Amino acid sequence: MKRLDQKIALVTGGSRGIGKAIALRLANEGAVVSIIYKSAAAEAQKVVAEIEAAGGKAFAYQCDASSSKEAADVVEKVAGQSKRLDILVNNAGITRDGLLMRMSDDDWDAVIDTNLKSVFNFTKPASRQMMSQRAGKIINITSIVGVTGNAGQANYAASKAGIIGFTKSIAKELGSRNIQVNAVAPGFVETDMTHALTDEQRQKLAERIPLKRTAKPEEIAGVVSFLASSDADYVTGQVICVDGGMS
């Protein structure tokens, strides 16, 4: 039997990057995975196809994660299929970088709504289902930037720091119902965002990391898989930094 055999999992922002790697890993461990995407329908269907080709089971749902109604509707659909929701991974996120003096209200609001409000939007209805079944795992993807800060990313850092505070608070609220709530804080990861960097920029980046390289999305997914499993039944309210030693 696989570690997450027949567990029902929901991954927001699961069509590419870290979210895709998480969805694939959870499915490989035996979970039935529902992928939430906003606009990347083709990419989401490719992830579903990849999971099914490997013998797994997956679904894709379109949803604006910043909308509480859309998030609640999707959670109801996913939980309604099997009357359970065992694993929620809040991964949806965007960046709108810029120095504070030049940052628009729209750039601030878009990042806070997508990165932070979405965690509230999905966790609230998911926790209701988990409370009724008296078990569940909630894993929030934050960032090392939420711990250290970063010039030019006040909106992103604030959203990710907010996720850390949210994680610790909800872990205390839900602990008595056997629901574990943790956060994973990646450092620099090889995704579409880092692919836009020049070789020189990547080299400078690697020099700041004790392990002298960026992370692969699969390395983040491995930690999420651990937190989603029974191996982490006594781990809650924690922020695990997967950053090559940067922090």
Side-chain angles (χ1 to χ4, degrees), residues 110-152:
V111 170
I112 296 297
D113 286 350
T114 302
N115 297 10
L116 179 57
K117 187 167 184 278
S118 67
V119 177
F120 165 78
N121 288 344
F122 276 91
T123 302
K124 187 176 178 180
S127 64
R128 282 203 188 101
Q129 174 64 40
M130 291 177 177
M131 285 172 72
S132 70
Q133 66 199 33
R134 288 193 167 271
K137 308 280 187 178
I138 299 170
I139 301 119
N140 301 319
I141 308 302
T142 178
S143 168
I144 197 62
V145 169
V147 178
T148 65
N150 196 34

Side-chain angles (χ1 to χ4, degrees), residues 67-130:
S67 165
S68 57
K69 183 182 185 308
E70 289 189 30
D73 287 347
V74 166
V75 170
E76 189 177 340
K77 282 179 190 172
V78 173
Q81 286 181 340
S82 56
K83 310 302 180 191
R84 288 191 68 80
L85 179 59
D86 302 296
I87 301 159
L88 169 66
V89 182
N90 286 304
N91 169 72
I94 61 169
T95 56
R96 296 279 178 85
D97 296 350
L99 296 173
L100 179 64
M101 291 298 114
R102 297 178 193 150
M103 188 174 290
S104 68
D105 286 4
D106 285 347
D107 284 347
W108 175 271
D109 290 343
V111 170
I112 296 297
D113 286 350
T114 302
N115 297 10
L116 179 57
K117 187 167 184 278
S118 67
V119 177
F120 165 78
N121 288 344
F122 276 91
T123 302
K124 187 176 178 180
S127 64
R128 282 203 188 101
Q129 174 64 40
M130 291 177 177

Side-chain angles (χ1 to χ4, degrees), residues 2 8 23 25 28 64 69 118 140 147 160 210 214 234-235 245:
K2 295 183 177 180
I8 307 302
R25 178 61 182 263
N28 186 54
D64 180 353
K69 183 182 185 308
S118 67
N140 301 319
V147 178
K160 294 301 188 178
T214 53
Y234 204 61
V235 179

Side-chain angles (χ1 to χ4, degrees), residues 133-200:
Q133 66 199 33
R134 288 193 167 271
K137 308 280 187 178
I138 299 170
I139 301 119
N140 301 319
I141 308 302
T142 178
S143 168
I144 197 62
V145 169
V147 178
T148 65
N150 196 34
Q153 287 193 309
N155 50 0
Y156 185 75
S159 72
K160 294 301 188 178
I163 289 172
I164 291 172
F166 181 89
T167 299
K168 289 179 176 290
S169 298
I170 302 309
K172 291 185 174 182
E173 287 187 25
L174 301 181
S176 64
R177 299 298 182 96
N178 190 34
I179 300 167
Q180 292 80 38
V181 188
N182 293 288
V184 176
F188 291 102
V189 185
E190 293 172 18
T191 63
D192 292 344
M193 281 191 266
T194 53
H195 288 160
L197 301 175
T198 65
D199 288 342
E200 184 182 356

